[in-house]
Amino acid sequence: MISVFKNGVQIKGWKSVSVGLSLSTVCNGFSLSQFVADDFDSPVLFPGDAVRIESDGELLIDGYVDSMSSSFAAGSHTIDIDGREKTCDLVDCSLKDFGLSWKKKTVAQIVDSVCACFGLTFNANGVKADGAISKFCPDPGCTGVDVITDVCKMKDVMCTSSGDGVVKFVDDDFDHADDFLRQGVNIVSANVSFNNSERFSDYIVLCSSDPKTKKYGKSSDGEIVRNRCMVIVDEGYGNVDSANRKASFEAVSRSAKSTTLNVTLHGWKRSDGKLWRPGVIVDCLIPAFFGDFVQEFLVNSVELSYDGSGSVTNLELVRPDYYSKPPQKKKKSKANPWADIAKKTAAYEASR
């Protein structure tokens, strides 16, 4: 059951509903279409109204109306609504304090500060970005999401929202769904795209702390046979070790983003009764695209729609390593100064 609330008051009479949720954005959207009879007395939604959409009591999206259009003909009156979740101001608006800057702050601290400027909550989601950023000064006029995108890029993390208006880091420790998506069984339709335009054979990351660019890290993508090189400046003033990790991250991430699969399913729920949401891994068997091989995919985006023909789910599926983080720096284990003495003592005791 779909429920739509305006400022806490339920509104009925919807002929179609669509809610989009994605790991790749901090601001999800929705659209509603309402048939209004002549004696219809339910409140009408206007731009700026607070909207909450639920399915069987479970929150799908909490946001505001952006636009409303109304039309009528003989015997009918239709109202169409478009809106986004509460993080929309973060996307649209500039920071009021355009002289704001951060020194020696972690990316989590900066994102939390930006969210606070818009009255929003941030959740690190258990993700720890490596090290602090020495100094970050955003350009005047940039939006809140511009700042977040820039600082997250410096530390190879990404922010998202689940429709509830809370900004959080993407955690790549995804759960595996029990569902098995199969061509000719539960997949209504599907399409796939392969795109290598953003992939390169070699990735070189220059350490910006070295003005002569003699220090750098590198990695390669063995599937790209042509001589395609990308040079990146590490804006985080990193060292060779961090540059190597960033280069490796670029190679893996860009390779993963080259494949996108879209499938359409009947209904909004998985086999375990849970709503389809981004952030789960699912097995797929689609011989038309991948032969007789089961492929693992990550649900990146979900569009839940309902109209007179019923409920439909559209999934955007990507490779599970789409959000992989750079390999962590290996910590050197400290030598135990008593190890040799303990070994000799044990040998002596054994000989007695």
Side-chain angles (χ1 to χ4, degrees):
M1 179 180 178
I2 303 165
S3 303
V4 180
F5 299 88
K6 168 190 174 179
N7 300 322
V9 178
Q10 186 172 1
I11 304 177
K12 299 180 180 180
W14 303 105
K15 66 177 184 179
S16 67
V17 177
S18 178
V19 176
L21 303 172
S22 176
L23 285 175
S24 299
T25 182
V26 297
C27 185
N28 297 288
F30 63 90
S31 62
L32 308 168
S33 184
Q34 183 181 38
F35 175 77
V36 182
D38 292 337
D39 59 349
F40 190 75
D41 60 357
S42 182
V44 177
L45 289 167
F46 289 98
D49 283 337
V51 176
R52 183 182 177 93
I53 303 175
E54 299 178 355
S55 175
D56 294 329
E58 182 176 343
L59 176 65
L60 290 178
I61 196 163
D62 189 6
Y64 303 104
V65 175
D66 282 329
S67 65
M68 183 273 278
S69 62
S70 180
S71 62
F72 72 89
S76 68
H77 185 181
T78 301
I79 296 175
D80 294 314
I81 304 294
D82 288 299
R84 292 171 295 166
E85 70 172 300
K86 294 189 294 185
T87 50
C88 57
D89 292 339
L90 192 69
V91 176
D92 299 340
C93 305
S94 303
L95 293 172
K96 184 176 291 186
D97 186 358
F98 47 82
L100 197 63
S101 64
W102 293 268
K103 293 182 179 179
K104 296 182 179 179
K105 299 292 184 181
T106 65
V107 61
Q109 289 174 321
I110 296 175
V111 173
D112 183 61
S113 176
V114 172
C115 288
C117 293
F118 295 90
L120 298 171
T121 302
F122 168 72
N123 181 2
N125 202 25
V127 177
K128 294 183 179 180
D130 186 25
I133 297 174
S134 57
K135 186 176 182 180
F136 182 80
C137 302
D139 295 328
C142 66
T143 65
V145 80
D146 288 336
V147 177
I148 291 175
T149 300
D150 288 344
V151 296
C152 286
K153 187 177 180 180
M154 294 170 70
K155 293 300 180 180
D156 299 313
V157 292
M158 196 170 197
C159 280
T160 188
S161 178
S162 301
D164 55 3
V166 177
V167 178
K168 60 184 180 182
F169 285 148
V170 174
D171 181 7
D172 64 355
D173 185 17
F174 302 112
D175 293 329
H176 202 294
D178 294 332
D179 298 77
F180 186 19
L181 304 184
R182 299 182 63 185
Q183 178 181 340
V185 179
N186 53 1
I187 296 178
V188 177
S189 63
N191 65 78
V192 68
S193 65
F194 304 97
N195 188 341
N196 278 354
S197 63
E198 295 297 323
R199 295 177 67 179
F200 300 86
S201 59
D202 300 282
Y203 296 87
I204 299 175
V205 178
L206 305 178
C207 300
S208 57
S209 56
D210 177 20
K212 295 184 179 180
T213 65
K214 292 182 179 179
K215 295 180 180 179
Y216 60 88
K218 60 182 180 179
S219 186
S220 61
D221 184 340
E223 295 182 358
I224 305 301
V225 296
R226 302 200 312 274
N227 182 16
R228 289 172 53 82
C229 179
M230 167 169 271
V231 177
I232 303 169
V233 177
D234 183 2
E235 298 176 356
Y237 296 90
N239 52 30
V240 173
D241 182 66
S242 65
N244 275 316
R245 287 184 284 126
K246 188 175 183 67
S248 176
F249 167 76
E250 288 289 339
V252 172
S253 176
R254 288 172 179 270
S255 174
K257 292 176 180 178
S258 66
T259 302
T260 302
L261 173 67
N262 295 278
V263 301
T264 300
L265 311 171
H266 284 307
W268 283 12
K269 294 185 177 181
R270 293 160 33 184
S271 58
D272 58 3
K274 296 180 180 178
L275 285 170
W276 280 105
R277 287 184 178 274
V280 294
I281 295 175
V282 63
D283 291 329
C284 298
L285 178 59
I286 308 179
F289 300 151
F290 308 108
D292 294 325
F293 297 97
V294 176
Q295 305 285 323
E296 275 193 348
F297 279 96
L298 168 68
V299 178
N300 186 46
S301 299
V302 175
E303 181 185 10
L304 305 172
S305 60
Y306 168 81
D307 57 24
S309 60
S311 301
V312 173
T313 297
N314 292 300
L315 302 178
E316 180 192 67
L317 305 172
V318 296
R319 280 174 34 182
D321 52 353
Y322 190 96
Y323 292 101
S324 292
K325 299 181 183 67
Q328 294 297 310
K329 181 179 180 180
K330 294 182 179 180
K331 295 182 179 181
K332 295 182 179 180
S333 58
K334 295 181 179 179
N336 181 0
W338 302 104
D340 189 52
I341 296 176
K343 184 178 180 180
K344 291 180 178 178
T345 301
Y348 172 74
E349 294 292 340
S351 63
R352 293 181 63 183

